[in-house]
Amino acid sequence: MRGRTATAAALAMALLLAVGGAWLYVVLRANLLDNTTSRTEVAARKVAAQADTGALPGLLSSPADGVDLVLVLDASGRVVATSLRTADPLAAELSGFRPSPGQDSADRIITGAPAAAAGGNRADVVVVRATPPGGGGQQRYVYAVTVLSDVDDATHAIGVALLASAPPLIALAAAIAWAVTGLALRPVTAIRRELAAVSASELDRRVPDPAGGDEIALMARTVNATLDRLEQAVTRQRQFVADASHELRNPIAAVRSRLEVALADSGAEGVTGPAVSLDGSVRAALRDTERLQRIAADLLLLARLDAHAPQAAEPVDLALLAAEEAARRPARGGPRLAVEAGEPVPVRGDPAQLERLLTNLVDNALRYAASEVRVTARSPGREHGGAGARAVLEVVDDGPGIPEAHREQVFERFARLDAARDRETGGTGLGLAIARGIARAHGGELTVRGRADGRPGARFVAVLPVQATPYGHRIHRS
């Protein structure tokens, strides 16, 4: 980057010098020519004023102000007066140059006038004036000649100075660009060096944050924010692996113990004391195996949700889903499950995953409810097919509720707010984490709040995008 910036600065300086030098050269030469032409015309007018009075000697005095010679010709081109001793060659060359009709003077640049003593092949300014003006009387033409040696010397010096100063200026521009870019990129080098040192064992390292609000400072803060998220993700992953290992270790140890007892019981003959039931050991091992299977299935589903795996997108009616969930759970003396859905609540998603979301919420609510769990599905009015509309699925229980400080913690994997998971009927500790993952995978959100009526209990609210396709049936089940 430093090399490219230095090259760009050098090219920009070269272009600037080329354009600026050419402009300066042209403007300077034009000004010098204007000044020289003006001085030459003044000399011609002075001689023309003498010619108008008729007192004009054959050999004129040398003109002043740097004008090299003055020559007066009649209408036929014959020399009338001159400041040179031999003017016939110059008169032959200049006799054809006359003012345009209606003009009393004209000027032009000629090259290599033979009568210009110092002229050689150098350019000369020639100014001619007709006298008397307007063509009256005996017409004469006054020529004044100035060799452009001073103009050529000045412009040549300017050209040489520009050419001589161009390489150092270009090199200086490149050096300045190289140094300034190096200073500007110094924080980037420090950031790159620090990033290269970040490893799995040193995720707490952060790149230096330069002061200010420029692009590099914003980049450093963005990198640090990314490293924060990376560290949090790795920490969560490590904690998840540790929790999963702990959760799997207990049922695996229990299964092994049950099987060892069953094996010992099947081979024991004549053992005194209480006998161990082979059937009971196998049934206990089966229950532990089923628990292992549930944990493995939950871990696999969480992995798919974390990987944002493609999922089915079909029309699903949350009201019908809630009614079917209630129908699968006949009353057995526990908390009562009631469903409130006055009309269809269409969403779009994976039916199996949305069913799992509702099942997990209902299982969690039934575990803590005192007497009733109520499931409510509703759409935001008749206009639920509009852009940005949301469907709401609520699961409310009348249990002890969840303290506000712990409401986000319940969605963590293997969260432990009580000893429920240590009981035989306890869950895997992944149900609410899976439910929130499913809600987010469908473009929605799952939160927990207190009951709207202020009574003790928890209210889980899942908000999902609605499906524009209407359903033609109504549901109300309790």
PDB file of all heavy atoms in Angstrom, residues 72-80 91-92 94-96 98 138-141 143:
ATOM      1  N   VAL A  72      12.935  52.458 -43.070  1.00  0.00           N
ATOM      2  CA  VAL A  72      11.834  53.174 -43.697  1.00  0.00           C
ATOM      3  C   VAL A  72      11.912  52.916 -45.201  1.00  0.00           C
ATOM      4  O   VAL A  72      12.956  53.146 -45.837  1.00  0.00           O
ATOM      5  CB  VAL A  72      11.911  54.689 -43.424  1.00  0.00           C
ATOM      6  CG1 VAL A  72      10.728  55.405 -44.065  1.00  0.00           C
ATOM      7  CG2 VAL A  72      11.923  54.954 -41.921  1.00  0.00           C
ATOM      8  N   LEU A  73      10.804  52.418 -45.792  1.00  0.00           N
ATOM      9  CA  LEU A  73      10.705  52.146 -47.226  1.00  0.00           C
ATOM     10  C   LEU A  73       9.589  52.977 -47.816  1.00  0.00           C
ATOM     11  O   LEU A  73       8.595  53.279 -47.145  1.00  0.00           O
ATOM     12  CB  LEU A  73      10.424  50.661 -47.463  1.00  0.00           C
ATOM     13  CG  LEU A  73      11.414  49.631 -46.868  1.00  0.00           C
ATOM     14  CD1 LEU A  73      10.967  48.218 -47.204  1.00  0.00           C
ATOM     15  CD2 LEU A  73      12.824  49.886 -47.377  1.00  0.00           C
ATOM     16  N   ASP A  74       9.778  53.306 -49.139  1.00  0.00           N
ATOM     17  CA  ASP A  74       8.670  53.983 -49.815  1.00  0.00           C
ATOM     18  C   ASP A  74       7.727  52.950 -50.383  1.00  0.00           C
ATOM     19  O   ASP A  74       7.887  51.749 -50.164  1.00  0.00           O
ATOM     20  CB  ASP A  74       9.227  54.926 -50.897  1.00  0.00           C
ATOM     21  CG  ASP A  74      10.049  54.179 -51.950  1.00  0.00           C
ATOM     22  OD1 ASP A  74       9.961  52.908 -51.975  1.00  0.00           O
ATOM     23  OD2 ASP A  74      10.779  54.818 -52.708  1.00  0.00           O
ATOM     24  N   ALA A  75       6.716  53.402 -51.138  1.00  0.00           N
ATOM     25  CA  ALA A  75       5.696  52.503 -51.636  1.00  0.00           C
ATOM     26  C   ALA A  75       6.251  51.462 -52.590  1.00  0.00           C
ATOM     27  O   ALA A  75       5.707  50.369 -52.727  1.00  0.00           O
ATOM     28  CB  ALA A  75       4.570  53.293 -52.306  1.00  0.00           C
ATOM     29  N   SER A  76       7.380  51.770 -53.260  1.00  0.00           N
ATOM     30  CA  SER A  76       7.971  50.830 -54.223  1.00  0.00           C
ATOM     31  C   SER A  76       8.969  49.891 -53.567  1.00  0.00           C
ATOM     32  O   SER A  76       9.524  49.024 -54.244  1.00  0.00           O
ATOM     33  CB  SER A  76       8.667  51.602 -55.340  1.00  0.00           C
ATOM     34  OG  SER A  76       9.730  52.389 -54.801  1.00  0.00           O
ATOM     35  N   GLY A  77       9.213  50.015 -52.259  1.00  0.00           N
ATOM     36  CA  GLY A  77      10.130  49.151 -51.554  1.00  0.00           C
ATOM     37  C   GLY A  77      11.551  49.666 -51.520  1.00  0.00           C
ATOM     38  O   GLY A  77      12.456  48.931 -51.076  1.00  0.00           O
ATOM     39  N   ARG A  78      11.782  50.911 -51.930  1.00  0.00           N
ATOM     40  CA  ARG A  78      13.135  51.471 -51.911  1.00  0.00           C
ATOM     41  C   ARG A  78      13.412  52.034 -50.531  1.00  0.00           C
ATOM     42  O   ARG A  78      12.540  52.572 -49.878  1.00  0.00           O
ATOM     43  CB  ARG A  78      13.255  52.569 -52.968  1.00  0.00           C
ATOM     44  CG  ARG A  78      14.663  53.132 -53.134  1.00  0.00           C
ATOM     45  CD  ARG A  78      14.711  54.075 -54.325  1.00  0.00           C
ATOM     46  NE  ARG A  78      13.753  55.154 -54.184  1.00  0.00           N
ATOM     47  CZ  ARG A  78      14.007  56.298 -53.528  1.00  0.00           C
ATOM     48  NH1 ARG A  78      15.178  56.493 -52.967  1.00  0.00           N
ATOM     49  NH2 ARG A  78      13.084  57.235 -53.467  1.00  0.00           N
ATOM     50  N   VAL A  79      14.689  51.865 -50.089  1.00  0.00           N
ATOM     51  CA  VAL A  79      15.077  52.314 -48.758  1.00  0.00           C
ATOM     52  C   VAL A  79      15.096  53.825 -48.717  1.00  0.00           C
ATOM     53  O   VAL A  79      15.757  54.477 -49.541  1.00  0.00           O
ATOM     54  CB  VAL A  79      16.452  51.742 -48.371  1.00  0.00           C
ATOM     55  CG1 VAL A  79      16.874  52.276 -47.010  1.00  0.00           C
ATOM     56  CG2 VAL A  79      16.420  50.225 -48.370  1.00  0.00           C
ATOM     57  N   VAL A  80      14.374  54.400 -47.780  1.00  0.00           N
ATOM     58  CA  VAL A  80      14.363  55.843 -47.571  1.00  0.00           C
ATOM     59  C   VAL A  80      15.304  56.210 -46.428  1.00  0.00           C
ATOM     60  O   VAL A  80      16.099  57.165 -46.537  1.00  0.00           O
ATOM     61  CB  VAL A  80      12.943  56.345 -47.284  1.00  0.00           C
ATOM     62  CG1 VAL A  80      12.941  57.836 -46.980  1.00  0.00           C
ATOM     63  CG2 VAL A  80      12.010  56.021 -48.442  1.00  0.00           C
ATOM     64  N   ALA A  91      15.460  45.010 -46.685  1.00  0.00           N
ATOM     65  CA  ALA A  91      14.368  45.702 -47.370  1.00  0.00           C
ATOM     66  C   ALA A  91      13.687  44.785 -48.374  1.00  0.00           C
ATOM     67  O   ALA A  91      12.452  44.783 -48.512  1.00  0.00           O
ATOM     68  CB  ALA A  91      14.902  46.956 -48.065  1.00  0.00           C
ATOM     69  N   ALA A  92      14.477  43.953 -49.090  1.00  0.00           N
ATOM     70  CA  ALA A  92      13.879  43.031 -50.055  1.00  0.00           C
ATOM     71  C   ALA A  92      12.987  42.003 -49.354  1.00  0.00           C
ATOM     72  O   ALA A  92      11.960  41.578 -49.887  1.00  0.00           O
ATOM     73  CB  ALA A  92      14.985  42.323 -50.839  1.00  0.00           C
ATOM     74  N   LEU A  94      11.385  42.466 -46.364  1.00  0.00           N
ATOM     75  CA  LEU A  94      10.269  43.072 -45.643  1.00  0.00           C
ATOM     76  C   LEU A  94       9.333  43.883 -46.523  1.00  0.00           C
ATOM     77  O   LEU A  94       8.255  44.268 -46.052  1.00  0.00           O
ATOM     78  CB  LEU A  94      10.804  43.978 -44.524  1.00  0.00           C
ATOM     79  CG  LEU A  94      11.637  43.302 -43.425  1.00  0.00           C
ATOM     80  CD1 LEU A  94      12.088  44.346 -42.400  1.00  0.00           C
ATOM     81  CD2 LEU A  94      10.841  42.209 -42.738  1.00  0.00           C
ATOM     82  N   SER A  95       9.716  44.151 -47.747  1.00  0.00           N
ATOM     83  CA  SER A  95       8.906  45.067 -48.564  1.00  0.00           C
ATOM     84  C   SER A  95       7.513  44.520 -48.834  1.00  0.00           C
ATOM     85  O   SER A  95       6.566  45.292 -49.050  1.00  0.00           O
ATOM     86  CB  SER A  95       9.628  45.345 -49.897  1.00  0.00           C
ATOM     87  OG  SER A  95       9.824  44.121 -50.609  1.00  0.00           O
ATOM     88  N   GLY A  96       7.341  43.226 -48.806  1.00  0.00           N
ATOM     89  CA  GLY A  96       6.008  42.665 -49.083  1.00  0.00           C
ATOM     90  C   GLY A  96       5.101  42.643 -47.869  1.00  0.00           C
ATOM     91  O   GLY A  96       3.918  42.298 -47.988  1.00  0.00           O
ATOM     92  N   ARG A  98       2.945  44.530 -45.412  1.00  0.00           N
ATOM     93  CA  ARG A  98       2.295  45.832 -45.271  1.00  0.00           C
ATOM     94  C   ARG A  98       1.086  45.692 -44.343  1.00  0.00           C
ATOM     95  O   ARG A  98       0.550  44.606 -44.174  1.00  0.00           O
ATOM     96  CB  ARG A  98       1.821  46.352 -46.626  1.00  0.00           C
ATOM     97  CG  ARG A  98       2.902  46.420 -47.697  1.00  0.00           C
ATOM     98  CD  ARG A  98       3.859  47.552 -47.421  1.00  0.00           C
ATOM     99  NE  ARG A  98       5.006  47.551 -48.308  1.00  0.00           N
ATOM    100  CZ  ARG A  98       5.000  48.145 -49.523  1.00  0.00           C
ATOM    101  NH1 ARG A  98       3.911  48.734 -49.971  1.00  0.00           N
ATOM    102  NH2 ARG A  98       6.102  48.124 -50.259  1.00  0.00           N
ATOM    103  N   GLN A 138       2.472  61.119 -49.703  1.00  0.00           N
ATOM    104  CA  GLN A 138       3.475  60.148 -50.141  1.00  0.00           C
ATOM    105  C   GLN A 138       3.575  59.040 -49.102  1.00  0.00           C
ATOM    106  O   GLN A 138       3.993  59.260 -47.984  1.00  0.00           O
ATOM    107  CB  GLN A 138       4.845  60.835 -50.309  1.00  0.00           C
ATOM    108  CG  GLN A 138       5.891  59.892 -50.890  1.00  0.00           C
ATOM    109  CD  GLN A 138       7.220  60.596 -51.076  1.00  0.00           C
ATOM    110  OE1 GLN A 138       7.353  61.779 -50.765  1.00  0.00           O
ATOM    111  NE2 GLN A 138       8.192  59.869 -51.606  1.00  0.00           N
ATOM    112  N   GLN A 139       3.177  57.810 -49.517  1.00  0.00           N
ATOM    113  CA  GLN A 139       3.090  56.707 -48.580  1.00  0.00           C
ATOM    114  C   GLN A 139       4.472  56.156 -48.262  1.00  0.00           C
ATOM    115  O   GLN A 139       5.285  55.896 -49.145  1.00  0.00           O
ATOM    116  CB  GLN A 139       2.213  55.571 -49.149  1.00  0.00           C
ATOM    117  CG  GLN A 139       1.824  54.527 -48.143  1.00  0.00           C
ATOM    118  CD  GLN A 139       0.816  55.073 -47.136  1.00  0.00           C
ATOM    119  OE1 GLN A 139      -0.035  55.870 -47.465  1.00  0.00           O
ATOM    120  NE2 GLN A 139       0.955  54.652 -45.897  1.00  0.00           N
ATOM    121  N   ARG A 140       4.773  56.022 -46.993  1.00  0.00           N
ATOM    122  CA  ARG A 140       6.011  55.401 -46.528  1.00  0.00           C
ATOM    123  C   ARG A 140       5.665  54.345 -45.468  1.00  0.00           C
ATOM    124  O   ARG A 140       4.645  54.426 -44.801  1.00  0.00           O
ATOM    125  CB  ARG A 140       6.951  56.451 -45.907  1.00  0.00           C
ATOM    126  CG  ARG A 140       7.421  57.502 -46.900  1.00  0.00           C
ATOM    127  CD  ARG A 140       8.276  58.521 -46.211  1.00  0.00           C
ATOM    128  NE  ARG A 140       8.738  59.563 -47.143  1.00  0.00           N
ATOM    129  CZ  ARG A 140       9.516  60.559 -46.797  1.00  0.00           C
ATOM    130  NH1 ARG A 140       9.905  60.693 -45.529  1.00  0.00           N
ATOM    131  NH2 ARG A 140       9.901  61.453 -47.689  1.00  0.00           N
ATOM    132  N   TYR A 141       6.590  53.395 -45.308  1.00  0.00           N
ATOM    133  CA  TYR A 141       6.395  52.297 -44.358  1.00  0.00           C
ATOM    134  C   TYR A 141       7.592  52.218 -43.430  1.00  0.00           C
ATOM    135  O   TYR A 141       8.740  52.138 -43.888  1.00  0.00           O
ATOM    136  CB  TYR A 141       6.210  50.961 -45.091  1.00  0.00           C
ATOM    137  CG  TYR A 141       4.988  50.945 -45.989  1.00  0.00           C
ATOM    138  CD1 TYR A 141       5.093  51.270 -47.338  1.00  0.00           C
ATOM    139  CD2 TYR A 141       3.734  50.636 -45.458  1.00  0.00           C
ATOM    140  CE1 TYR A 141       3.982  51.261 -48.159  1.00  0.00           C
ATOM    141  CE2 TYR A 141       2.624  50.632 -46.290  1.00  0.00           C
ATOM    142  CZ  TYR A 141       2.743  50.949 -47.624  1.00  0.00           C
ATOM    143  OH  TYR A 141       1.637  50.952 -48.437  1.00  0.00           O
ATOM    144  N   TYR A 143       9.522  50.200 -40.561  1.00  0.00           N
ATOM    145  CA  TYR A 143       9.702  48.859 -39.996  1.00  0.00           C
ATOM    146  C   TYR A 143      10.638  48.954 -38.796  1.00  0.00           C
ATOM    147  O   TYR A 143      11.725  49.539 -38.895  1.00  0.00           O
ATOM    148  CB  TYR A 143      10.303  47.894 -41.025  1.00  0.00           C
ATOM    149  CG  TYR A 143       9.420  47.661 -42.241  1.00  0.00           C
ATOM    150  CD1 TYR A 143       9.463  48.525 -43.331  1.00  0.00           C
ATOM    151  CD2 TYR A 143       8.558  46.567 -42.269  1.00  0.00           C
ATOM    152  CE1 TYR A 143       8.674  48.305 -44.446  1.00  0.00           C
ATOM    153  CE2 TYR A 143       7.766  46.342 -43.395  1.00  0.00           C
ATOM    154  CZ  TYR A 143       7.819  47.216 -44.468  1.00  0.00           C
ATOM    155  OH  TYR A 143       7.026  47.005 -45.561  1.00  0.00           O
TER     156      TYR A 143
END
